């Protein structure tokens, strides 16, 4: 008796819904952006203020210009550096730039101030020494001065008057334009005091023209995170180098301990 073969119709493959039909996720809700925007916004809880960037000359066209000549001393000893070291600095800014050694301890003259709801270290010798509206500037051209700039500048972009800080204290270019475009569209939130704190720092690389500073952050629950900020010496002061993703700091990564970091005394 001949064998009959039953042929089954091929099973149609299951197709996933095209990605274009999935709801778009705003960039500020994406994990990578939330972790690093405005200097680790998720970890530090720094609020973002919505400030429109105006002007037709591109994202940088409407930046507020800061008049550094109208700066006021942020510390009593501002301008007290040796006269011979001020040749490449803006008027009124003098610092002692002789100590090029990697810091092994925190500056003895550290003063803590609040920026965007976060306690930030400043120093009467390493900077910032001067204030021009929202800009705190005049950092020493030393590893310790770079450390102070790495703490202050990114958080200033999470505070009011961030446009002036972006214009003066961030290296210009496509990356800065991207940062400004993202920052100007950030959802409005109120700035409140953060439960997290800046715990320590390290300087893995330094030269008189460039620096990399690692920051150690302690969350409100006691967990430790680390990130890094790149800096460049430009126009007589340290400026933050923006990253291709439009942020000033690397996405925070959890760490088990504080080995290799100089710890702040708070």
């Amino acid at each position: 008796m001949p064998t009959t073969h039953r042929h089954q119709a091929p099973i149609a493959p299951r197709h996933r819904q095209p990605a274009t039909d999935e709801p778009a996720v705003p960039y500020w809700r994406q994990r990578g952006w939330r972790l690093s925007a405005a200097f680790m916004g998720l970890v530090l809880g720094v609020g973002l203020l919505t400030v429109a960037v105006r002007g037709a000359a591109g994202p940088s066209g409407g930046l507020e210009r800061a008049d550094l000549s109208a700066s006021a001393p942020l510390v009593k000893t501002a301008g007290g550096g040796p006269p011979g070291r001020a040749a490449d600095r803006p008027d009124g800014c003098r610092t002692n730039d002789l100590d090029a050694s990697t810091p092994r301890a925190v500056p003895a003259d550290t003063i803590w101030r609040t920026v965007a709801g976060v306690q930030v270290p400043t120093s009467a010798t390493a900077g910032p020494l001067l204030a021009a509206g929202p800009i705190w500037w005049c950092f020493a051209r030393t590893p310790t001065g770079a450390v102070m700039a790495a703490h202050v500048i990114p958080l200033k972009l999470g505070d009011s008057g961030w446009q002036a800080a972006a214009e003066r204290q961030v290296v210009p270019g496509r990356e800065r334009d991207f940062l400004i475009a993202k920052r100007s569209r950030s959802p409005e939130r109120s700035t409140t005091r953060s439960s997290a704190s800046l715990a320590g720092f390290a300087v893995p690389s330094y030269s008189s023209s460039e620096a990399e500073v690692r920051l150690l952050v302690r969350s409100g629950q006691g967990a430790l995170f680390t990130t890094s900020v790149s800096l460049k010496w430009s126009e007589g002061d340290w400026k933050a180098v923006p990253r291709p993703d439009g942020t000033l700091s690397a996405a925070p990564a959890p760490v088990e301990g504080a080995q290799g970091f100089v710890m702040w005394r708070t």
Side-chain angles (χ1 to χ4, degrees), residues 23-176:
V25 179
Y27 66 83
W28 61 80
R29 294 184 181 177
Q30 297 172 8
R31 183 174 182 274
W33 169 251
R34 289 189 303 161
L35 284 173
S36 53
F39 193 62
M40 303 175 294
L42 182 62
V43 176
L44 295 177
V46 177
L48 298 180
L49 306 176
T50 299
V51 185
V53 176
R54 297 178 296 275
S60 301
L63 287 180
E64 298 175 1
R65 300 286 173 174
D67 182 7
L68 297 187
S69 64
S71 295
L74 191 62
V75 296
K76 293 181 180 179
T77 57
R85 306 294 294 182
D88 63 341
R89 310 301 298 268
D91 291 342
C93 174
R94 289 190 297 166
T95 58
N96 190 333
D97 303 334
L98 298 178
D99 188 2
S101 61
T102 301
R104 303 298 180 187
V106 301
D109 58 3
T110 298
I111 300 172
W112 290 85
R113 305 171 188 270
T114 302
V115 177
V118 179
Q119 288 290 295
V120 179
T122 63
S123 165
T125 53
L129 302 187
L130 299 172
I135 296 177
W136 292 359
W137 66 288
C138 190
F139 298 93
R141 194 173 188 176
T142 65
T144 304
V147 166
M148 294 303 181
H151 284 75
V152 170
I153 295 174
L155 280 170
K156 275 295 183 178
L157 267 73
D159 206 358
S160 57
W162 68 269
Q163 292 165 300
E167 186 273 329
R168 177 65 196 179
Q169 296 185 296
V170 178
V171 175
R174 289 184 178 180
E175 291 80 4
R176 188 181 75 170

Side-chain angles (χ1 to χ4, degrees), residues 19 136 180 210 234:
W136 292 359
I180 292 166
E210 296 179 332
S234 176

